[in-house]
């Protein structure tokens, strides 16, 4: 981004004597990619309260500990009771702890984007070399990375425990790998949904409420309709219902593509190859769609 | 080197034409951009930063085309928005460091430049406190600091005196003068008051309804438009003192127009004051007031039909 020094100096009003106090900056000016990285790491750290007030660290750190604690307990049980396999599948872990993940997203997505909107700081970013897409990429990437840290760390804890308990290396490594893949997909999907909802309003409280509402209502609705379908013996429908809530969507993707056991009622995952493909497409569509919506949202707030 | 050039620049929104074939040139120095509400000042700044496409026409900033070189322009230009843009819960230092990083400065450089810049805009110990507790004047200084922190070659200041009391206004205007005089950075500063920019700017551009009304050096400008407001008493000899003074001024070669009891005398040069004083003394009427009128932009617009030759 730096212009040639010759041009810079030549065009300065160098005929006048500058204030002794003012020094010009002739150092390096990093380009868009570095600026994007700087915003990414600042936002990622911010999602755990790092570089912010002590108070902002409390909630994310507690939730992080709550995510990891069950994994540590499972490890302990596995080692002491000499289990031959982990009592929880790697891919199931996030589904058990979805409430914690939802709470984390509800707190941190608005934290990441609402402040810039509420205090009208966004135009200041766009008055700098970065473009809209850089801002959205950095914020999206940071939220997804923060969620990945939250969901993948307990899997690491589980994996280490499994190896300490001398469980089969091959089976555990394969399971762990699939778990990481599913965690990455979950992080991207949830980051997109969380940021779109949070960026829709400069009011932080609304953002928090919207994220919690969307996650819990959709999950409750899917679960109860699944139960109804199950009681009527309509098991083919169960495998499709999971499309309508983020967590069950990921469950469908991982049960079809990664061979995980479905968490749906009766274990009915996507009923066939078409359904499997639809699940994957919907997940990818959600990620791409959220990105597009964020881009649109920030076009409006540019320099209004 | 010309700092800003626009050529037939037009910006149409669905309902309004914000800029209408604006053609002008801005040289290094402090330039005041004056226009009433909705004249198109902020729209022009947005286009100059490469953030909104022009509907027609072209513009270049520091020799770079706004349509294609937005990121390069923004690396070398600072921008101070007209609205609030500061998060209340962080300190000025934290905020300006972050903005410096967003301009591409490495962490150490960002911290050093922030310390320097905040000192230059007059923020000292308070820079470690949360911005939420600052006065309007201090907040405006933080906004100015974030526009200067990356050592731009040009800053675009959108209504920097907005919301300030007279003292704060004068301090801000002094600071703006220094940005050019001491830091060597060119300034484009907007306002809807011509009067306050007269003292700060080398050059003044007036726009109205998105088109150029006038562009001239401040010297030409004030000579042509500044006036002296004079009010006199009536005496036995001159029952209508105002009328008598009007005649006397005309005889002394001054251009005057009456506005009720107020006489507005065009200030041609320093001697105008003496001429008025002498004429009043000669008549023997009392001088109630004699003051230089601060021009509201509306007056400039009223003069439009007979206005100054546009450059
Ligand atoms: N994004 C937009 N969409 C539609 N109309 C707009 C938009 N931005 C500005 N305008 C209109 O364009 C015109 C010029 O606005 P602009 O903000 O440039 O004026 P201004 O000179 O900065 O005024 P002020 O002194 O109030 O800040 C106004 O009529 C305004 O309503
Ligand atoms: Mg404006």
């Amino acid at each position: 981004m730096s212009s040639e020094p010759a041009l810079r100096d030549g065009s300065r009003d160098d005929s006048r004597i500058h204030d002794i106090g003012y020094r010009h900056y002739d150092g390096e000016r990093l380009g868009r990619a570095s600026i994007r990285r700087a915003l990414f790491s600042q936002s990622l750290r911010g999602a755990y309260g790092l570089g912010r007030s002590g108070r902002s660290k409390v909630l994310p750190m507690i939730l992080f500990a709550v995510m990891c604690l069950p994994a540590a307990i499972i490890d302990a049980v596995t080692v002491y009771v000499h289990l031959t396999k982990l009592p929880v599948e790697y891919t199931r872990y996030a589904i058990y702890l979805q409430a914690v993940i939802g709470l984390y997203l509800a707190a941190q997505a608005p934290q990441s984007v609402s402040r810039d909107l509420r205090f009208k700081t966004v135009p200041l970013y766009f008055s700098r070399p970065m473009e809209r897409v850089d801002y959205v990429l950095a914020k999206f990437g940071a939220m997804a990375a923060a969620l990945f840290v939250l969901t993948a760390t307990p899997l690491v804890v589980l994996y280490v425990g499994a190896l300490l308990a001398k469980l089969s290396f091959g089976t555990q490594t394969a399971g762990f790998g699939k778990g990481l893949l599913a965690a990455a997909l979950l992080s991207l999907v949830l980051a997109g949904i969380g940021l779109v909802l949070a960026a829709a309003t400069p009011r932080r409280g609304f953002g928090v409420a919207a994220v919690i509402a969307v996650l819990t209502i959709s999950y409750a609705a899917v679960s109860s309709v699944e139960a109804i379908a199950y009681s009527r013996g309509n098991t083919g429908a169960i495998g499709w219902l999971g499309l309508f809530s983020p967590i069950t969507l990921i469950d469908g993707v991982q049960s079809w593509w990664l061979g995980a056991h479905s968490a749906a009622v009766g274990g009915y995952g996507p009923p066939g190859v078409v359904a499997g493909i639809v699940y994957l497409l919907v997940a990818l569509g959600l990620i791409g769609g959220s990105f597009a919506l964020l881009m649109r949202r920030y076009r409006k707030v540019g320099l209004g | 080197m010309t700092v800003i050039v626009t050529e037939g620049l037009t910006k149409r929104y669905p309902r309004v034409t914000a800029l209408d074939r604006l053609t002008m040139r801005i040289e290094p120095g402090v330039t005041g951009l004056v226009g009433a509400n909705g004249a198109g000042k902020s729209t022009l700044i947005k286009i100059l930063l490469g953030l909104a496409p022009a509907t027609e026409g072209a513009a270049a900033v520091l020799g770079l085309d706004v349509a294609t070189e937005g990121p390069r322009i923004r690396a070398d230009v600072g921008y101070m928005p007209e609205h609030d843009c500061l998060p209340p819960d962080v300190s000025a230092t934290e905020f300006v460091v972050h903005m410096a990083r967003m301009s591409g400065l490495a962490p150490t450089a960002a911290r050093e430049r922030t310390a320097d810049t905040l000192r230059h805009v007059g923020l000292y110990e308070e820079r470690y406190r949360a911005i939420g507790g600052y006065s309007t004047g201090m907040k405006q200084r933080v906004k100015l600091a974030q526009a200067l922190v990356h050592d731009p070659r040009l800053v675009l200041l959108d209504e920097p005196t907005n919301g300030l009391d007279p003292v704060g206004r004068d301090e801000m205007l002094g600071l703006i003068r220094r940005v050019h005089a001491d830091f060597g950075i060119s300034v484009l500063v907007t306002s809807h008051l011509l009067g306050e920019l007269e003292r700060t700017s080398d050059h003044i551009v007036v726009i109205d309804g998105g088109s150029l009304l006038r562009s001239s050096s401040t010297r030409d400008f004030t000579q042509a438009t500044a006036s002296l407001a004079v009010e006199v008493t009536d005496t036995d000899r001159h029952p209508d003192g105002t009328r008598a003074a009007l005649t006397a001024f005309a005889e002394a070669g001054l251009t005057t127009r009456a506005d009720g009891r107020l006489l507005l005398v065009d200030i041609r040069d320093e001697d105008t004051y003496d001429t008025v004083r002498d004429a009043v003394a000669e008549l023997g009427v009392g001088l109630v007031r004699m003051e230089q009128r601060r021009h509201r932009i509306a007056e400039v617009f009223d003069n439009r039909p007979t206005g100054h030759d546009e450059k």
Side-chain angles (χ1 to χ4, degrees):
Chain A
M1 259 338 78
S2 66
S3 49
E4 316 86 279
L7 183 128
R8 224 182 137 69
D9 294 339
S11 57
R12 284 264 181 216
D13 204 351
D14 45 17
S15 58
R16 70 178 65 237
I17 300 153
H18 294 306
D19 178 37
I20 357 90
Y22 190 82
R23 287 178 298 170
H24 284 295
Y25 176 72
D26 295 318
E28 192 184 9
R29 283 166 201 264
L30 306 166
R32 274 175 59 189
S34 308
I35 294 174
R36 198 166 57 218
R37 261 199 307 281
L39 182 59
F40 168 84
S41 62
Q42 193 246 12
S43 305
L44 173 54
R45 288 163 45 82
Y48 284 95
L50 304 174
R52 296 171 53 217
S53 68
R55 233 173 35 135
S56 351
K57 295 183 181 62
V58 177
L59 185 66
M61 289 305 180
I62 288 179
L63 293 178
F64 181 75
V66 170
M67 276 302 284
C68 294
L69 194 65
I73 294 172
I74 291 169
D75 284 349
V77 172
T78 310
V79 171
Y80 285 108
V81 187
H82 301 295
L83 295 178
T84 52
K85 65 189 211 28
L86 288 174
V88 179
E89 268 184 89
Y90 290 98
T91 42
R92 185 62 70 83
Y93 195 86
I95 295 177
Y96 282 147
L97 287 162
Q98 59 169 290
V100 183
I101 302 170
L103 218 55
Y104 178 88
L105 182 68
Q108 300 309 317
Q111 187 281 126
S112 179
V113 293
S114 312
R115 297 180 72 254
D116 288 347
L117 289 167
R118 178 147 54 111
F119 305 128
K120 302 212 185 79
T121 320
V122 177
L124 288 189
Y125 286 97
F126 296 158
S127 75
R128 297 181 142 73
M130 70 165 55
E131 302 269 3
R132 197 155 36 105
V133 63
D134 299 313
Y135 183 87
V136 173
L137 273 174
K139 287 291 181 186
F140 201 131
M143 195 68 244
L147 284 167
F148 187 70
V149 168
L150 187 75
T151 50
T153 311
L155 300 187
V156 174
V157 173
L158 280 181
Y159 182 58
V160 169
L163 295 186
L164 286 178
K166 307 228 162 41
L167 303 187
S168 151
F169 179 79
T171 319
Q172 291 305 318
T173 306
F176 177 55
K178 288 173 182 176
L180 288 185
L181 214 62
L185 191 64
L186 175 73
S187 301
L188 284 166
V189 167
L190 287 185
I193 295 174
L195 289 178
V196 165
L197 293 173
T201 161
R203 302 279 296 271
R204 195 186 150 144
F206 287 166
V208 173
V211 172
I212 291 184
V214 165
L215 292 186
T216 54
I217 293 175
S218 65
Y219 183 74
V222 166
S223 306
S224 34
V225 178
E226 275 179 0
I228 295 169
Y230 186 70
S231 68
R232 303 228 168 133
N234 194 351
T235 52
I238 298 179
W240 289 99
L241 288 169
L243 286 171
F244 299 97
S245 104
I247 293 287
T248 54
L249 173 71
I250 300 299
D251 182 61
V253 172
Q254 66 189 16
S255 59
W256 183 261
W257 293 96
L258 302 175
H261 291 102
S262 173
V265 179
Y268 293 102
V273 66
V274 175
I277 290 171
V278 169
Y279 268 80
L280 187 62
L281 288 181
V282 169
L284 297 178
L286 266 178
I287 299 170
S290 320
F291 191 86
L293 282 174
L294 284 171
M295 287 294 286
R296 234 186 72 181
R297 170 72 174 123
Y298 284 100
R299 184 169 62 210
K300 289 226 179 80
V301 289
L303 259 190
Chain B
M1 180 198 192
T2 305
V3 175
I4 297 170
V5 190
T6 72
E7 186 65 55
L9 197 64
T10 302
K11 178 71 182 180
R12 271 190 286 273
Y13 289 114
R15 257 176 256 278
V16 278
T17 300
L19 288 178
D20 192 6
R21 285 161 297 161
L22 183 66
T23 299
M24 61 164 191
R25 236 169 201 300
I26 290 175
E27 305 295 332
V30 179
T31 302
L33 176 65
V34 184
N37 285 344
K41 306 180 293 290
S42 302
T43 302
L44 175 62
I45 289 182
K46 214 189 304 191
I47 293 175
L48 294 178
L49 286 168
L51 295 174
T55 315
E56 279 162 28
V61 175
L62 302 168
L64 301 166
D65 186 344
V66 298
T68 54
E69 310 244 44
R72 277 189 68 194
I73 291 173
R74 297 195 297 272
D76 262 347
V77 173
Y79 164 64
M80 173 174 171
E82 58 187 322
H83 55 72
D84 286 341
C85 56
L86 306 174
D89 51 356
V90 299
S91 71
T93 299
E94 286 174 85
F95 180 71
V96 177
V97 166
H98 180 58
M99 284 335 258
R101 301 235 33 219
M102 294 299 103
S103 285
L105 270 58
T108 319
R111 275 193 297 277
E112 285 171 9
R113 285 285 315 171
T114 296
D116 275 7
T117 311
L118 286 174
R119 183 167 50 83
H120 283 301
V121 301
L123 282 173
Y124 302 95
E125 291 315 310
E126 52 274 52
R127 67 178 189 267
Y128 301 113
R129 291 208 309 265
I131 296 173
Y134 288 12
S135 66
T136 311
M138 282 157 69
K139 284 183 186 161
Q140 291 298 85
R141 286 161 195 257
V142 180
K143 281 167 63 176
L144 181 62
Q146 66 77 32
L148 291 170
V149 70
H150 56 298
D151 190 27
R153 291 162 57 196
L154 166 70
V155 283
L156 307 175
L157 311 178
D158 205 352
E159 311 218 11
T161 56
N162 218 353
L164 297 177
D165 58 24
V167 176
R169 193 172 282 248
D170 283 346
E171 284 173 359
M172 178 52 72
L173 292 171
L175 210 47
I176 291 168
R177 195 63 233 168
R178 282 191 56 208
V179 168
H180 177 63
D182 296 346
F183 310 169
I185 296 169
S186 288
V187 179
L188 178 70
V189 49
T190 78
S191 175
H192 42 265
L193 298 173
L194 177 58
E196 68 175 25
L197 291 183
E198 273 172 10
R199 286 171 291 156
T200 318
S201 313
D202 304 315
H203 195 94
I204 288 189
V205 173
V206 182
I207 59 173
D208 182 34
S211 49
L212 186 71
L213 206 54
R214 179 147 165 191
S215 168
S216 55
S217 76
T218 309
R219 174 184 287 271
D220 291 353
F221 212 99
T222 40
Q223 280 182 355
T225 63
S227 59
L228 208 55
V230 179
E231 193 178 339
V232 296
T233 56
D234 301 329
T235 59
D236 290 343
R237 199 147 71 88
H238 298 290
D240 186 349
T242 309
R243 186 166 202 86
L246 190 62
T247 318
F249 292 165
E251 279 165 5
L254 299 172
T255 314
T256 310
R257 87 196 138 87
D259 181 5
R261 288 195 63 89
L262 212 57
L263 294 170
L264 297 169
V265 184
D266 280 0
I267 298 177
R268 232 177 298 119
D269 48 40
E270 291 297 313
D271 294 343
T272 306
Y273 295 84
D274 295 340
T275 315
V276 167
R277 195 193 53 215
D278 295 347
V280 170
E282 188 114 324
L283 286 175
V285 294
L287 190 57
V288 179
R289 79 163 109 188
M290 175 162 94
E291 64 195 18
Q292 191 179 337
R293 264 292 274 265
R294 286 270 160 248
H295 288 267
R296 290 185 49 82
I297 193 64
E299 292 171 33
V300 181
F301 297 154
D302 291 345
N303 292 340
R304 177 141 62 145
T306 55
H308 209 243
D309 51 334
E310 289 176 12
K311 289 187 195 163

